[in-house]
Every structure is written in C-alpha cells, then in structure tokens.
Amino acid sequence: MVGLSHNFTCMATGHPIPSISWSFKSFAQESTTMPSHHVHLNGHMLTLFAVKTLQSGTLTCTAVNEFGQATASATVVFRNPGASSFG
C-alpha cells in the first residue's frame, strides 16, 4: 500500500561473508534512484518509507565476496488502498 513503510530481506551466506547491496529500477519514471529507505542488519534488511504509486519497480539484492556474486530480484507494485487489481 502506498504511504506505508515496507521491509524486504536478503539473506546470503558464504566464506568470506558476502557484502550486500540493494538497487532499484522504477517502471514509470525510468529511474534507478532508490526511494526513501534505510538499510538494517548489515545490509540484510531494507525498509522503504512512505512509498508512492510511481515508485513501483524492480528491487534487486546483490551479495558479493571475493569468489563471486549472486543476485535476487523482486517486482514491487505499490497500490492505493482499495484499488482494484482488475481493469
């Protein structure tokens, strides 16, 4: 729902411990600017604050250590309360 905060988690293990980074690509604005956010738990959790409908897009988590990297992406769609998924 728009206007609310939302948490996203990215867990990665390895030796050495991988560093975690987050990126975002908006659908509507052709932007890669991350909406207002805060990163917690050594990068494993991301909180997006008071999101807007136009901030829907693809959120990607990347884990990197000296042996390589892994990514995971999620499509994030923010809707107004009461909005129908039809039409």
Side-chain angles (χ1 to χ4, degrees):
M1 294 297 176
V2 297
L4 301 176
S5 296
H6 299 276
N7 292 322
F8 299 88
T9 303
C10 180
M11 299 304 294
T13 59
H15 186 74
I17 297 170
S19 61
I20 306 257
S21 63
W22 295 86
S23 60
F24 183 80
K25 185 168 189 310
S26 172
F27 295 142
Q29 300 175 335
E30 295 297 321
S31 171
T32 57
T33 301
M34 181 76 74
S36 178
H37 68 282
H38 182 73
V39 178
H40 314 264
L41 303 173
N42 294 324
H44 292 283
M45 181 178 285
L46 173 80
T47 300
L48 296 180
F49 297 110
V51 293
K52 300 175 178 110
T53 304
L54 290 177
Q55 291 175 321
S56 294
T58 302
L59 183 62
T60 301
C61 162
T62 302
V64 178
N65 70 11
E66 63 189 69
F67 296 106
Q69 74 176 33
T71 61
S73 296
T75 299
V76 181
V77 178
F78 298 108
R79 295 187 181 157
N80 289 313
S84 171
S85 60
F86 300 102

